[in-house]
Amino acid sequence: MSEVAVAGARRWRGGPDTGTWLPAARTDARRALQLALAGGWLLDGVLQFQPFMYTRAFPHMLASAAAGNPSVVAGPVTWNANLVQHHLALLNTVFATIQLLLGLGIALRPTVRPALAASIAWSVAVWWFGEGFGGVLNGGADPVNGAPGAVIIYALLAALLWPADRSGGPAPFTAARAVGAHTARALWLVFWLSQAYFALSPANRAPQALYGMITGRESGEPGWLASLMRGAAALVAGRGLAASIVLAAALVLIAAGVYLPTAAAKPVLVLAIMVAAAIWVFGQAFGGILASGATDPNSGALLVVLALAYWPASGALPAAAAPSGPPAPSAPSGLSGEADGSVAR
Amino acid sequence: MTPAWVLGSVAALMLVVAAVSAARLAAGRPWRRGALIADTDVAHLLMAIAMAGMLAPDLRTLTDAPWEVIFGLLAAWFAARVARDARAHGRRTLAGGHCAPHLVHSCSMLYMFLAMTATAGAGGMGDIAGPAAMPGGPAAGEMALRYPTLALAFAFTLVGYSIWDLDQLSGRRYSVPGARLSLAGMAAQEVSVLAAGPGSAAPRNEPSAASAPDAGLPGPAAGRAVTRRASGRVAGAGAFLLAPAVTIGCRIVMGVAMAFMLFIAI
């Protein structure tokens, strides 16, 4: 250990805080994905504190989600927007704090279950009251634009990463541990097929639809990102139908990927990650964070996490046969049971 | 505009972190021979004071230039430590080592001071108290950051480290150890406070000054007796203060607060 003088006192020694140099507590694949989810919520919470969110633009943005929706959806959206408009500073701070706490709660092992459950409830509420079901019912949903809404992907991930293990043998991938392989695959199929369906909707296959969507997001972005987006927009200019068909084909292939043998499933999951990354960079501009005014990092990064949850396990993931108890205080790795405190059911 | 009371609350949180870090440094009894000053506590103390000043101009203590020098030195210090760790323990410590988060914190602070610009209308990050109180601060203006891509990269990294630290903290990587304490004038004794995990045997500071009896003071037996009899409460609070978990807790708060500041200034 090196020793240096600090603050000019000759007999003092400055040095590292060696008490914190301890081995890491165990973190398995599911716990790692839970932490990614926690990071997403934490980012959401911090973004919600941005100055833009404390302006009238925020309730106006909420109110715009009502357009074109059935009254049963639009009514609560409009009510929520009015409420936020009248109590903007208070409610926005409450929203931000809730999201911050969800992130912190998922990251803390003892509170992961209540935090995940609360995140599902919060996600559904925001999806309805804040996003009008992400444009699913009014024809405005676009996978490049984050349809069916980033917030509902949070809920899906929370369900798939729930810290429990279903009985019936080793899970083939992380997402299958809590809900079972059949249910997990069905959720994946429905999700990606719906994305393909949205990609082919009339509004999204118009000749300039994708071009307009990308160029519309370019404003306010840093030069390097705006340049990338301009290049992508030029590629699809006037080719909206062809771009939609190619995207939909890729999304259908991805949807079917989890039913393929492992050797074929992995390349398809890589494709899913690449498509998600491309959407996040070129279509979503990282959620518009760099241009200010983003409420969240949008769906691209979440889709990557979703794809990783379906990555075939190299070894057999834990079955539910042996319940794991609470962490043992003296366990060398920090936890004696599952890294995320899961229990069998 | 982010309300002043929100920014003020975060500034108050920073003052708490500064107070905790200062208390930890004081608990290291730097007036004794061989006292060891933990670099992380020094870093947290300086960062917390600087951040409080950025959030609330009334709390500003120094102009920008000294802070830039301070955080430049801290960044260099932690960079050297990360490099040394990497040589000793492999490249994984470049990102996952103990000093890597502190390096990111120091670099983030340096970046904020170098890239912060005043745009219009107010002082500090949130127009809290009008024009900046100190020379060298933004005379007028809502704060904004040049090179926002760097801000985003720092914010993502800070959030990542904070989440990881929270997971490890709750995974009992950083337990409350048997801290070494003493009452004034008495030799220090080990006080076990909580059941500890793998780090239970690790004291906060390697050759803690508090653990070394001074010449002329009562011996260990006397110290032990007095410590036990006199203040279980004081010992418990002191041991908690000196626990590694408290350092990590401060690091988490700092990381989240820094990400907050970066995002509201992008």
Side-chain angles (χ1 to χ4, degrees), chain A residues 1-2 11-25 27 31 35 42-43 46-47 49-51 54 93 104 107-110 222 224 289-290 292 329 332 334, chain B residues 1-3 5 24 30-31 34-40 81 84 98 148-149 152 163 166-168 170-174 196-197 199 203-204 206-207 244 247 260 263-264 266:
Chain A
M1 185 182 69
S2 72
R11 57 182 188 163
W12 290 7
R13 295 178 303 147
D17 191 356
T18 51
T20 57
W21 292 16
L22 302 170
T27 300
R31 183 62 186 151
L35 293 180
L42 198 58
L43 281 172
V46 175
L47 285 168
F49 280 113
Q50 289 178 112
Y54 287 95
T93 304
L104 298 177
L108 278 170
R109 297 184 185 215
W224 67 270
I289 293 174
L290 292 168
S292 298
Chain B
M1 188 68 69
T2 304
W5 59 269
R24 283 175 57 86
W31 54 88
L36 188 137
I37 308 299
D39 50 3
T40 50
R81 296 205 54 77
R84 198 167 59 180
H98 169 70
T149 310
L152 184 70
I163 291 292
L166 267 171
D167 172 66
Q168 295 296 301
S170 55
R172 306 192 185 184
R173 180 182 186 181
Y174 306 109
R204 173 179 162 254
E206 210 169 36
T247 299
F260 165 87
F263 275 128
I264 64 173
I266 279 182

Coordinates of all heavy atoms in Angstrom, one line a residue, chain A residues 1-2 11-25 27 31 35 42-43 46-47 49-51 54 93 104 107-110 222 224 289-290 292 329 332 334, chain B residues 1-3 5 24 30-31 34-40 81 84 98 148-149 152 163 166-168 170-174 196-197 199 203-204 206-207 244 247 260 263-264 266:
Chain A
M1 N 0.8 -1.2 0.0 CA 0.0 0.0 0.0 C 0.9 1.2 0.0 O 1.8 1.4 0.8 CB -0.9 0.0 1.2 CG -1.9 1.1 1.2 SD -2.9 1.1 2.7 CE -1.7 1.5 3.9
S2 N 0.6 2.1 -0.9 CA 1.3 3.3 -0.9 C 0.9 4.3 0.2 O -0.2 4.2 0.7 CB 1.1 4.0 -2.3 OG -0.2 4.6 -2.3
R11 N 2.9 13.4 9.6 CA 2.6 12.1 10.2 C 1.3 11.4 9.8 O 1.0 10.4 10.2 CB 2.7 12.2 11.8 CG 1.7 13.1 12.3 CD 1.8 13.2 13.8 NE 0.7 14.0 14.4 CZ 0.4 14.0 15.7 NH1 1.1 13.2 16.5 NH2 -0.6 14.7 16.1
W12 N 0.6 12.1 8.9 CA -0.6 11.5 8.4 C -0.2 10.6 7.2 O 0.7 10.9 6.5 CB -1.6 12.5 7.9 CG -2.3 13.3 9.0 CD1 -1.9 13.3 10.3 CD2 -3.3 14.3 8.9 NE1 -2.7 14.1 11.0 CE2 -3.6 14.7 10.1 CE3 -4.0 14.7 7.8 CZ2 -4.5 15.7 10.4 CZ3 -5.0 15.7 8.0 CH2 -5.2 16.1 9.3
R13 N -1.1 9.7 6.9 CA -0.9 8.9 5.7 C -2.2 8.8 5.0 O -3.2 8.6 5.6 CB -0.4 7.5 6.1 CG 1.0 7.5 6.7 CD 1.4 6.1 7.1 NE 0.4 5.5 7.9 CZ 0.1 4.2 7.9 NH1 0.6 3.4 7.1 NH2 -0.8 3.7 8.8
G14 N -2.1 9.1 3.7 CA -3.3 8.9 2.9 C -3.3 7.6 2.2 O -2.2 7.1 1.7
G15 N -4.4 6.9 2.1 CA -4.3 5.6 1.4 C -5.7 5.1 1.1 O -6.7 5.7 1.4
P16 N -5.8 4.0 0.5 CA -7.0 3.4 0.1 C -7.8 2.9 1.3 O -7.3 2.5 2.3 CB -6.6 2.2 -0.8 CG -5.3 1.9 -0.3 CD -4.6 3.1 0.1
D17 N -9.1 2.9 1.1 CA -10.0 2.4 2.1 C -10.1 0.9 1.9 O -11.0 0.3 1.3 CB -11.4 3.0 1.9 CG -12.3 2.8 3.1 OD1 -11.9 2.0 4.0 OD2 -13.4 3.3 3.1
T18 N -9.2 0.2 2.5 CA -9.0 -1.2 2.2 C -10.2 -2.1 2.8 O -10.4 -3.2 2.4 CB -7.7 -1.8 2.8 OG1 -7.6 -1.4 4.1 CG2 -6.5 -1.3 2.0
G19 N -10.9 -1.5 3.7 CA -12.0 -2.2 4.3 C -13.1 -2.6 3.3 O -14.0 -3.4 3.5
T20 N -13.1 -1.8 2.2 CA -14.2 -2.1 1.2 C -13.7 -3.0 0.1 O -14.4 -3.3 -0.9 CB -14.6 -0.8 0.5 OG1 -13.5 -0.2 -0.1 CG2 -15.3 0.2 1.5
W21 N -12.5 -3.5 0.2 CA -12.0 -4.4 -0.8 C -12.4 -5.9 -0.5 O -11.6 -6.6 0.0 CB -10.5 -4.3 -0.9 CG -10.1 -3.0 -1.5 CD1 -10.8 -1.8 -1.5 CD2 -8.8 -2.6 -2.0 NE1 -10.1 -0.8 -2.1 CE2 -8.9 -1.3 -2.4 CE3 -7.6 -3.3 -2.2 CZ2 -7.8 -0.6 -2.9 CZ3 -6.5 -2.7 -2.8 CH2 -6.6 -1.3 -3.1
L22 N -13.6 -6.2 -0.8 CA -14.1 -7.6 -0.5 C -14.5 -8.3 -1.7 O -14.8 -7.6 -2.7 CB -15.2 -7.4 0.5 CG -14.8 -6.7 1.8 CD1 -16.1 -6.4 2.6 CD2 -13.9 -7.6 2.6
P23 N -14.6 -9.6 -1.7 CA -15.1 -10.3 -2.9 C -16.6 -9.9 -3.2 O -17.4 -9.6 -2.3 CB -15.0 -11.8 -2.4 CG -14.2 -11.8 -1.2 CD -14.3 -10.5 -0.6
A24 N -16.9 -10.0 -4.5 CA -18.2 -9.6 -4.9 C -19.3 -10.7 -4.5 O -19.0 -11.9 -4.4 CB -18.3 -9.5 -6.4
A25 N -20.4 -10.2 -4.1 CA -21.5 -11.1 -3.9 C -22.0 -11.7 -5.2 O -21.8 -11.1 -6.2 CB -22.7 -10.4 -3.2
T27 N -23.8 -12.9 -8.4 CA -24.8 -12.3 -9.3 C -24.9 -13.2 -10.5 O -24.0 -13.4 -11.3 CB -24.3 -10.9 -9.8 OG1 -24.2 -10.1 -8.6 CG2 -25.4 -10.3 -10.7
R31 N -30.2 -12.1 -12.1 CA -29.9 -10.9 -11.2 C -29.3 -9.8 -12.0 O -29.6 -8.6 -11.8 CB -29.0 -11.3 -10.0 CG -28.7 -10.2 -9.1 CD -30.0 -9.7 -8.4 NE -29.8 -8.5 -7.6 CZ -30.7 -7.6 -7.3 NH1 -31.9 -7.7 -7.9 NH2 -30.4 -6.6 -6.5
L35 N -30.8 -6.1 -12.6 CA -30.0 -4.9 -12.3 C -30.1 -3.9 -13.5 O -30.2 -2.7 -13.4 CB -28.6 -5.2 -12.0 CG -28.4 -5.9 -10.6 CD1 -26.9 -6.2 -10.4 CD2 -28.9 -5.1 -9.5
L42 N -34.0 3.7 -12.8 CA -33.3 4.8 -12.1 C -33.1 6.0 -13.2 O -33.3 7.1 -12.8 CB -31.9 4.3 -11.6 CG -31.2 5.2 -10.6 CD1 -32.1 5.4 -9.4 CD2 -29.9 4.5 -10.2
L43 N -32.7 5.6 -14.4 CA -32.6 6.6 -15.4 C -33.9 7.3 -15.7 O -33.9 8.5 -15.8 CB -32.1 5.9 -16.7 CG -30.6 5.6 -16.8 CD1 -30.4 4.8 -18.1 CD2 -29.8 6.9 -16.9
V46 N -34.5 9.8 -12.9 CA -33.6 11.0 -13.0 C -34.0 11.9 -14.2 O -34.0 13.1 -14.1 CB -32.1 10.6 -13.1 CG1 -31.2 11.8 -13.4 CG2 -31.7 9.8 -11.9
L47 N -34.4 11.3 -15.3 CA -34.8 12.0 -16.5 C -36.1 12.8 -16.2 O -36.3 13.9 -16.7 CB -35.0 11.1 -17.6 CG -33.8 10.6 -18.3 CD1 -34.1 9.5 -19.3 CD2 -33.1 11.7 -19.1
F49 N -36.7 14.4 -13.6 CA -36.4 15.6 -12.9 C -35.9 16.7 -13.8 O -35.6 17.8 -13.4 CB -35.3 15.3 -11.9 CG -35.8 14.7 -10.6 CD1 -35.5 13.4 -10.2 CD2 -36.7 15.4 -9.7 CE1 -35.9 12.9 -9.1 CE2 -37.1 14.9 -8.5 CZ -36.8 13.6 -8.2
Q50 N -35.8 16.4 -15.1 CA -35.3 17.5 -16.0 C -36.1 18.7 -16.1 O -37.4 18.6 -15.9 CB -35.2 16.9 -17.5 CG -34.1 15.8 -17.7 CD -34.2 15.3 -19.1 OE1 -33.3 15.5 -19.9 NE2 -35.3 14.6 -19.4
P51 N -35.5 19.8 -16.3 CA -36.3 21.1 -16.4 C -37.5 21.0 -17.3 O -38.6 21.6 -17.0 CB -35.3 22.1 -16.9 CG -34.0 21.6 -16.5 CD -34.1 20.1 -16.5
Y54 N -40.9 20.1 -16.0 CA -41.6 21.0 -15.1 C -42.2 22.2 -15.9 O -42.5 23.2 -15.3 CB -40.6 21.5 -14.0 CG -40.2 20.5 -13.0 CD1 -39.1 19.7 -13.1 CD2 -41.1 20.3 -11.9 CE1 -38.8 18.8 -12.1 CE2 -40.8 19.3 -10.9 CZ -39.6 18.6 -11.1 OH -39.3 17.6 -10.1
T93 N -42.6 15.7 -9.5 CA -41.6 15.2 -8.5 C -42.0 13.9 -7.9 O -41.2 13.0 -7.7 CB -41.5 16.3 -7.4 OG1 -41.2 17.5 -8.0 CG2 -40.4 15.9 -6.4
L104 N -34.2 1.8 -7.2 CA -33.4 1.5 -6.0 C -33.9 0.2 -5.4 O -33.2 -0.6 -4.9 CB -33.5 2.6 -5.0 CG -32.9 4.0 -5.5 CD1 -33.1 5.1 -4.5 CD2 -31.4 3.8 -5.9
A107 N -32.8 -2.9 -7.2 CA -31.4 -3.1 -7.0 C -31.0 -3.6 -5.6 O -30.0 -4.3 -5.5 CB -30.6 -1.8 -7.2
L108 N -31.9 -3.3 -4.7 CA -31.7 -3.9 -3.3 C -32.3 -5.3 -3.2 O -33.5 -5.4 -3.5 CB -32.3 -3.0 -2.3 CG -31.6 -1.7 -1.9 CD1 -32.4 -0.8 -1.0 CD2 -30.3 -2.1 -1.0
R109 N -31.5 -6.2 -2.9 CA -32.0 -7.6 -2.9 C -33.2 -7.9 -2.0 O -34.1 -8.6 -2.4 CB -30.8 -8.6 -2.5 CG -29.7 -8.5 -3.5 CD -28.6 -9.5 -3.3 NE -27.5 -9.3 -4.2 CZ -26.8 -10.3 -4.7 NH1 -27.0 -11.5 -4.4 NH2 -25.8 -10.0 -5.5
P110 N -33.2 -7.4 -0.8 CA -34.4 -7.7 0.1 C -35.7 -7.1 -0.4 O -36.7 -7.6 -0.1 CB -34.0 -7.0 1.4 CG -32.5 -6.8 1.4 CD -32.2 -6.6 0.0
P222 N -26.8 15.9 -31.0 CA -25.4 16.3 -31.3 C -25.1 16.0 -32.7 O -25.7 15.1 -33.4 CB -24.6 15.4 -30.3 CG -25.5 14.9 -29.3 CD -26.9 14.9 -29.9
W224 N -22.8 14.4 -34.4 CA -22.4 13.0 -34.9 C -23.7 12.2 -34.9 O -23.8 11.4 -35.9 CB -21.4 12.4 -33.9 CG -21.9 12.1 -32.5 CD1 -21.9 12.9 -31.5 CD2 -22.5 10.9 -32.1 NE1 -22.4 12.3 -30.4 CE2 -22.8 11.1 -30.7 CE3 -22.9 9.7 -32.7 CZ2 -23.5 10.1 -29.9 CZ3 -23.5 8.7 -31.9 CH2 -23.8 8.9 -30.6
I289 N -32.6 11.6 -25.3 CA -32.0 12.1 -24.1 C -31.1 13.3 -24.3 O -31.0 14.3 -23.6 CB -31.2 11.0 -23.3 CG1 -32.2 9.9 -22.8 CG2 -30.4 11.6 -22.2 CD1 -31.5 8.7 -22.2
L290 N -30.3 13.2 -25.4 CA -29.3 14.2 -25.7 C -29.9 15.5 -26.2 O -29.2 16.6 -26.2 CB -28.3 13.7 -26.7 CG -27.4 12.6 -26.2 CD1 -26.6 11.9 -27.4 CD2 -26.4 13.1 -25.2
S292 N -32.6 16.7 -24.8 CA -33.5 17.1 -23.6 C -34.9 16.8 -23.9 O -35.4 16.7 -25.0 CB -33.3 18.6 -23.3 OG -32.0 18.9 -23.0
P329 N -25.9 -14.9 6.4 CA -25.0 -13.8 6.6 C -23.5 -14.2 6.5 O -22.7 -13.4 6.2 CB -25.3 -13.5 8.1 CG -26.7 -14.0 8.3 CD -26.8 -15.2 7.5
P332 N -19.6 -17.1 2.2 CA -18.5 -16.4 1.6 C -18.9 -15.6 0.4 O -18.3 -14.5 0.2 CB -17.6 -17.5 1.2 CG -18.0 -18.7 2.0 CD -19.4 -18.5 2.3
G334 N -21.7 -14.1 -0.1 CA -22.7 -13.2 0.3 C -24.1 -13.7 0.3 O -24.9 -13.3 1.0
Chain B
M1 N -38.2 24.7 -15.7 CA -37.1 24.7 -14.7 C -37.3 23.8 -13.6 O -38.4 23.8 -13.0 CB -36.9 26.2 -14.2 CG -35.7 26.4 -13.5 SD -34.2 26.4 -14.5 CE -34.4 27.8 -15.5
T2 N -36.3 23.0 -13.3 CA -36.4 22.1 -12.1 C -36.6 23.0 -10.8 O -35.8 23.9 -10.6 CB -35.2 21.3 -11.9 OG1 -35.0 20.5 -13.2 CG2 -35.3 20.3 -10.8
P3 N -37.6 22.8 -10.0 CA -37.8 23.7 -8.9 C -36.7 23.8 -7.9 O -35.9 22.9 -7.7 CB -39.0 23.1 -8.2 CG -39.7 22.2 -9.2 CD -38.6 21.7 -10.1
W5 N -36.7 23.9 -4.8 CA -36.7 23.1 -3.6 C -36.2 21.7 -3.9 O -35.7 21.0 -3.0 CB -38.1 23.1 -3.0 CG -39.2 22.6 -3.9 CD1 -40.0 23.4 -4.7 CD2 -39.7 21.3 -4.1 NE1 -40.9 22.7 -5.4 CE2 -40.8 21.3 -5.0 CE3 -39.4 20.1 -3.5 CZ2 -41.5 20.2 -5.4 CZ3 -40.1 18.9 -3.9 CH2 -41.1 19.0 -4.8
R24 N -16.2 10.5 9.4 CA -15.4 9.3 9.2 C -13.9 9.7 9.2 O -13.1 9.0 9.8 CB -15.7 8.6 7.8 CG -17.0 7.8 7.8 CD -17.3 7.3 6.5 NE -16.3 6.5 5.9 CZ -16.1 5.2 6.1 NH1 -17.0 4.5 6.9 NH2 -15.1 4.5 5.6
P30 N -7.0 11.7 13.0 CA -5.8 12.1 12.2 C -4.7 12.8 13.1 O -3.6 13.0 12.6 CB -6.4 13.0 11.2 CG -7.7 13.5 11.7 CD -8.2 12.4 12.6
W31 N -5.1 13.2 14.3 CA -4.1 13.8 15.1 C -3.1 12.8 15.8 O -2.2 13.2 16.4 CB -4.8 14.6 16.2 CG -5.7 13.8 17.0 CD1 -5.5 13.1 18.2 CD2 -7.1 13.7 16.8 NE1 -6.6 12.5 18.6 CE2 -7.6 12.8 17.8 CE3 -8.0 14.1 15.8 CZ2 -9.0 12.4 17.8 CZ3 -9.3 13.7 15.8 CH2 -9.8 12.9 16.9
G34 N 0.6 8.2 12.7 CA 0.4 7.0 11.8 C -1.1 6.9 11.4 O -1.5 6.0 10.8
A35 N -1.9 8.0 11.7 CA -3.3 7.9 11.3 C -3.4 7.8 9.8 O -2.7 8.4 9.1 CB -4.0 9.2 11.8
L36 N -4.4 7.0 9.4 CA -4.5 6.8 7.9 C -5.8 7.5 7.5 O -6.9 7.3 8.0 CB -4.6 5.3 7.6 CG -4.6 5.0 6.1 CD1 -3.7 3.8 5.9 CD2 -6.0 4.7 5.6
I37 N -5.6 8.4 6.5 CA -6.8 9.1 5.9 C -7.2 8.4 4.7 O -6.5 8.3 3.7 CB -6.3 10.6 5.6 CG1 -5.7 11.2 6.7 CG2 -7.5 11.4 5.1 CD1 -6.5 11.4 8.0
A38 N -8.4 7.9 4.7 CA -8.9 7.1 3.5 C -9.2 8.1 2.4 O -9.9 9.1 2.5 CB -10.2 6.4 3.9
D39 N -8.6 7.7 1.2 CA -8.8 8.5 0.0 C -10.2 8.7 -0.4 O -10.7 9.7 -0.9 CB -7.9 8.0 -1.1 CG -8.2 6.5 -1.4 OD1 -9.0 5.9 -0.7 OD2 -7.5 6.0 -2.3
T40 N -11.0 7.7 -0.2 CA -12.4 7.7 -0.6 C -13.2 8.8 0.2 O -14.1 9.5 -0.3 CB -13.1 6.4 -0.5 OG1 -12.8 5.9 0.9 CG2 -12.6 5.4 -1.5
R81 N -4.3 4.6 -9.2 CA -4.7 3.5 -8.3 C -5.3 2.4 -9.2 O -5.1 1.2 -9.0 CB -5.6 3.9 -7.2 CG -5.0 4.8 -6.2 CD -5.6 4.8 -4.9 NE -5.7 3.4 -4.4 CZ -4.6 2.8 -3.9 NH1 -3.5 3.4 -3.8 NH2 -4.8 1.5 -3.5
R84 N -2.6 0.7 -11.1 CA -1.8 -0.2 -10.3 C -2.6 -1.5 -9.9 O -2.1 -2.6 -9.9 CB -1.4 0.5 -9.0 CG -0.3 -0.2 -8.3 CD 0.3 0.6 -7.2 NE -0.6 1.0 -6.2 CZ -0.3 1.7 -5.1 NH1 0.9 2.2 -5.0 NH2 -1.2 2.0 -4.2
H98 N -12.1 -1.6 -7.1 CA -12.6 -0.8 -6.1 C -12.5 0.7 -6.4 O -13.4 1.5 -6.1 CB -11.8 -1.0 -4.8 CG -12.1 0.0 -3.7 ND1 -13.3 0.0 -3.1 CD2 -11.3 0.9 -3.2 CE1 -13.3 1.0 -2.2 NE2 -12.1 1.6 -2.2
P148 N -22.7 17.1 -24.8 CA -23.7 16.3 -24.0 C -23.5 14.8 -24.1 O -23.9 14.0 -23.2 CB -25.0 16.8 -24.6 CG -24.6 17.4 -25.9 CD -23.3 17.9 -25.8
T149 N -22.8 14.3 -25.2 CA -22.6 12.9 -25.3 C -21.7 12.4 -24.2 O -22.0 11.3 -23.7 CB -21.9 12.6 -26.7 OG1 -22.6 13.2 -27.7 CG2 -21.9 11.1 -26.9
L152 N -23.9 12.1 -21.2 CA -24.7 10.9 -21.2 C -23.9 9.6 -20.8 O -24.3 8.8 -20.1 CB -25.3 10.7 -22.6 CG -26.2 9.5 -22.8 CD1 -27.6 9.8 -22.1 CD2 -26.6 9.3 -24.3
I163 N -26.1 1.2 -9.2 CA -27.0 0.0 -9.1 C -26.1 -1.2 -8.7 O -26.6 -2.0 -7.8 CB -27.6 -0.3 -10.5 CG1 -28.6 0.8 -10.9 CG2 -28.2 -1.7 -10.6 CD1 -29.9 0.7 -10.0
L166 N -25.5 -0.9 -5.0 CA -26.7 -1.3 -4.2 C -26.9 -2.8 -4.1 O -27.2 -3.3 -3.0 CB -27.9 -0.6 -4.9 CG -28.3 0.7 -4.4 CD1 -29.4 1.3 -5.3 CD2 -28.8 0.7 -2.9
D167 N -26.7 -3.4 -5.2 CA -26.8 -4.9 -5.2 C -25.8 -5.5 -4.3 O -26.1 -6.4 -3.5 CB -26.6 -5.4 -6.7 CG -26.6 -6.9 -6.7 OD1 -27.6 -7.5 -6.4 OD2 -25.5 -7.5 -7.1
Q168 N -24.5 -5.1 -4.4 CA -23.5 -5.7 -3.6 C -23.7 -5.3 -2.1 O -23.4 -6.1 -1.2 CB -22.1 -5.2 -4.1 CG -21.8 -5.7 -5.5 CD -21.6 -7.2 -5.5 OE1 -20.8 -7.8 -4.8 NE2 -22.5 -7.8 -6.3
S170 N -26.5 -4.8 -0.6 CA -27.6 -5.7 0.0 C -27.3 -7.2 -0.1 O -27.9 -8.0 0.5 CB -28.9 -5.4 -0.8 OG -28.8 -5.6 -2.2
G171 N -26.2 -7.5 -0.9 CA -25.7 -8.9 -1.0 C -24.7 -9.1 0.1 O -24.1 -10.1 0.1
R172 N -24.6 -8.2 1.0 CA -23.7 -8.3 2.2 C -22.3 -8.4 1.9 O -21.5 -9.0 2.6 CB -24.2 -9.4 3.1 CG -25.6 -9.3 3.4 CD -26.0 -10.3 4.5 NE -27.5 -10.2 4.7 CZ -28.1 -10.9 5.6 NH1 -27.5 -11.6 6.4 NH2 -29.4 -10.8 5.7
R173 N -21.9 -7.8 0.7 CA -20.5 -7.7 0.5 C -19.8 -6.7 1.4 O -18.7 -6.9 1.9 CB -20.3 -7.2 -1.0 CG -18.8 -7.0 -1.4 CD -18.7 -6.5 -2.8 NE -17.3 -6.5 -3.2 CZ -17.0 -6.1 -4.4 NH1 -17.8 -5.6 -5.3 NH2 -15.7 -6.1 -4.8
Y174 N -20.6 -5.6 1.7 CA -20.0 -4.6 2.6 C -20.8 -4.6 3.9 O -21.8 -3.9 4.1 CB -20.2 -3.2 1.9 CG -19.6 -3.1 0.6 CD1 -20.4 -3.1 -0.6 CD2 -18.2 -3.2 0.4 CE1 -19.8 -3.0 -1.8 CE2 -17.6 -3.1 -0.9 CZ -18.5 -3.0 -2.0 OH -17.9 -2.9 -3.2
A196 N -21.5 -10.2 10.5 CA -20.9 -9.8 9.3 C -20.7 -10.9 8.3 O -20.6 -12.0 8.7 CB -19.6 -9.0 9.6
G197 N -20.6 -10.5 7.0 CA -20.3 -11.5 6.0 C -18.8 -11.6 5.8 O -18.1 -11.7 6.8
G199 N -16.6 -9.8 5.0 CA -15.7 -8.7 5.4 C -15.7 -8.4 6.8 O -15.2 -7.4 7.3
P203 N -11.0 -4.5 9.1 CA -11.2 -3.2 9.6 C -11.3 -2.2 8.5 O -10.9 -2.5 7.4 CB -10.0 -3.0 10.5 CG -9.0 -3.8 9.8 CD -9.7 -5.0 9.2
R204 N -11.8 -1.0 8.8 CA -12.0 0.0 7.8 C -10.6 0.4 7.3 O -10.4 0.5 6.1 CB -12.7 1.2 8.4 CG -12.7 2.4 7.4 CD -13.5 3.5 8.1 NE -13.2 4.7 7.3 CZ -12.4 5.7 7.8 NH1 -11.9 5.5 9.0 NH2 -12.1 6.7 7.1
E206 N -6.5 -0.1 7.4 CA -5.6 -1.3 7.6 C -4.9 -1.2 8.9 O -5.2 -1.9 9.9 CB -4.6 -1.3 6.4 CG -4.2 -2.7 6.2 CD -3.4 -2.8 4.9 OE1 -2.7 -1.8 4.5 OE2 -3.6 -3.8 4.2
P207 N -4.0 -0.3 9.1 CA -3.3 -0.1 10.4 C -3.9 1.1 11.1 O -3.3 2.1 11.2 CB -1.9 0.1 10.0 CG -1.9 0.7 8.7 CD -3.3 0.5 8.1
P244 N -17.5 -0.2 6.2 CA -17.3 0.0 4.8 C -18.7 0.3 4.1 O -18.7 1.0 3.1 CB -16.8 -1.4 4.3 CG -16.1 -1.9 5.5 CD -16.9 -1.4 6.7
T247 N -19.3 4.0 3.5 CA -18.6 4.5 2.4 C -19.3 4.2 1.1 O -19.5 5.1 0.2 CB -17.2 3.9 2.3 OG1 -16.5 4.2 3.5 CG2 -16.4 4.4 1.1
F260 N -28.1 12.8 -11.7 CA -29.2 13.8 -11.7 C -28.7 15.1 -12.2 O -29.3 15.7 -13.1 CB -29.7 13.9 -10.2 CG -30.5 15.1 -9.9 CD1 -31.9 15.0 -10.1 CD2 -30.0 16.3 -9.4 CE1 -32.7 16.2 -9.8 CE2 -30.7 17.4 -9.1 CZ -32.1 17.3 -9.3
F263 N -28.0 15.0 -16.0 CA -29.2 15.0 -16.9 C -29.9 16.4 -16.9 O -30.4 16.8 -17.9 CB -30.2 13.9 -16.5 CG -29.8 12.6 -17.1 CD1 -29.7 11.5 -16.3 CD2 -29.6 12.4 -18.4 CE1 -29.4 10.2 -16.8 CE2 -29.3 11.2 -19.0 CZ -29.2 10.1 -18.2
I264 N -30.0 17.0 -15.7 CA -30.7 18.3 -15.7 C -29.9 19.4 -16.4 O -30.5 20.4 -16.7 CB -31.2 18.7 -14.3 CG1 -30.0 19.0 -13.4 CG2 -32.1 17.7 -13.7 CD1 -30.4 19.7 -12.1
I266 N -28.0 18.7 -19.3 CA -27.7 18.3 -20.7 C -28.5 19.3 -21.5 O -29.6 19.6 -21.3 CB -28.2 16.9 -21.0 CG1 -27.1 15.9 -20.5 CG2 -28.5 16.7 -22.5 CD1 -27.5 14.4 -20.8

